């Protein structure tokens, strides 16, 4: 790698090699080069390693579970291996804008008080959007107290893992995903995040 790893993209997958290829392509095309990508094959019954190897890039790191353990386990395994300052979590059916790392790392470097950033949700154009568009999508910034209320009441939660970039140091403070939860493990984790830290939609 040309420089120290700053972003660790963590991808847990179960089968779906064609979708995984698109996900990894979106990481490979990033304008920001100082990343690694940890792919955890969660017990797939189709070949996944050849998809990773085809990129011929040492920044892609492959690990395999012999049996399926579930999303929280694969995600946590990748997070614990991550060497970067920042974590990018992705499913194998998600892809990101080519300047995502560049824009979000710059913002987090300039705003050390912010623990995590997100993009506006949806399948439209990717990239930064003005504040009026955030309100149009009901994806505007709120106080920590308002975010906690939204999560507890499941009201208007416009953030998701794919658009997020967060500081790895958060794991030292609030822990990892709860592996006893088969659903909403990221929801519970983000709720814990907002109890102590600030997030920002760009």
């Amino acid at each position: 790698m040309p420089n120290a790893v700053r972003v660790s993209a963590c991808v847990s997958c179960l089968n779906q090699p064609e979708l995984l290829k698109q996900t990894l392509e979106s990481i490979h095309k990033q304008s920001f080069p100082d990343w690694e990508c940890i792919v955890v094959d969660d017990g797939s019954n189709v070949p996944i390693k050849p998809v990773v190897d085809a990129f011929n890039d040492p920044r892609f790191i492959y690990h395999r579970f012999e049996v399926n353990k579930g999303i929280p386990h694969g995600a946590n395994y990748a997070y614990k291996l991550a060497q970067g300052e920042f974590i990018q979590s992705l499913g194998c059916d998600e892809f990101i804008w080519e300047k995502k790392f560049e824009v979000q790392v710059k913002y987090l470097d300039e705003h050390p008080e912010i623990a995590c950033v997100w993009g506006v949700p949806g399948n439209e154009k990717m990239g930064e959007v003005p504040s009026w568009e955030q309100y149009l999508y009901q994806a505007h910034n709120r106080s920590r107290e308002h975010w906690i209320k939204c999560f507890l009441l499941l009201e208007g939660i416009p953030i998701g893992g794919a658009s997020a970039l967060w500081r790895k140091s958060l794991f030292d403070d609030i822990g990892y995903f709860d592996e006893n939860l088969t659903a909403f493990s990221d929801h519970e984790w983000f709720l814990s995040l907002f109890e102590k830290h600030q997030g920002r939609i760009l």
Side-chain angles (χ1 to χ4, degrees):
M1 296 177 202
N3 297 301
V5 173
R6 300 210 65 203
V7 177
S8 293
C10 299
V11 184
S12 181
C13 69
L14 177 63
N15 302 319
Q16 299 182 304
E18 289 303 317
L19 291 176
L20 175 64
K21 180 181 177 182
Q22 294 180 25
T23 300
L24 300 187
E25 284 176 346
S26 74
I27 296 169
H28 199 245
K29 292 177 180 177
Q30 288 296 302
S31 59
F32 185 86
D34 303 330
W35 55 264
E36 66 178 356
C37 177
I38 301 168
V39 179
V40 178
D41 177 355
D42 194 7
S44 298
N45 54 27
V46 297
I48 295 297
K49 190 172 187 293
V51 176
V52 181
D53 290 345
F55 286 91
N56 193 30
D57 189 326
R59 292 176 295 179
F60 287 107
I61 303 162
Y62 174 82
H63 295 271
R64 174 175 167 78
F65 295 162
E66 291 303 318
V67 296
N68 178 249
K69 296 184 178 183
I71 291 174
H73 295 270
N76 281 344
Y77 188 81
Y79 300 155
K80 290 173 183 178
L81 289 174
Q83 298 296 307
E85 300 171 54
F86 306 106
I87 298 292
Q88 167 68 62
S89 179
L90 285 170
C92 68
D93 58 347
E94 298 172 318
F95 57 93
I96 53 177
W97 179 46
E98 63 186 11
K99 292 187 177 181
K100 182 182 192 295
F101 294 171
E102 178 184 342
V103 170
Q104 291 185 335
V105 168
K106 182 176 184 293
Y107 184 88
L108 288 170
D109 281 346
E110 293 173 349
H111 298 84
E113 76 282 6
I114 301 298
C116 183
V117 291
W118 290 267
V120 171
N123 295 318
E124 303 299 325
K125 64 180 181 180
M126 295 186 182
E128 297 174 278
V129 298
S131 58
W132 67 264
E133 194 169 345
Q134 292 180 14
Y135 279 92
L136 178 67
Y137 285 101
Q138 295 186 338
H140 50 281
N141 285 295
R142 307 157 197 192
S143 66
R144 286 175 44 235
E145 292 77 14
H146 192 178
W147 277 120
I148 290 172
K149 177 184 175 183
C150 291
F151 273 94
L152 289 174
L153 300 179
L154 298 179
E155 291 180 347
I157 305 173
I159 61 177
S163 71
L165 190 72
W166 66 75
R167 299 182 189 277
K168 188 187 177 189
S169 59
L170 284 170
F171 294 125
D172 296 329
D173 191 29
I174 62 178
Y176 291 84
F177 286 10
D178 187 341
E179 295 181 354
N180 294 312
L181 297 176
T182 57
F184 287 102
S185 56
D186 57 342
H187 180 105
E188 187 268 347
W189 190 83
F190 285 132
L191 178 57
S192 298
L193 183 155
F194 280 113
E195 287 182 320
K196 294 184 177 181
H197 301 279
Q198 296 184 61
R200 180 71 58 182
I201 294 176
L202 299 182

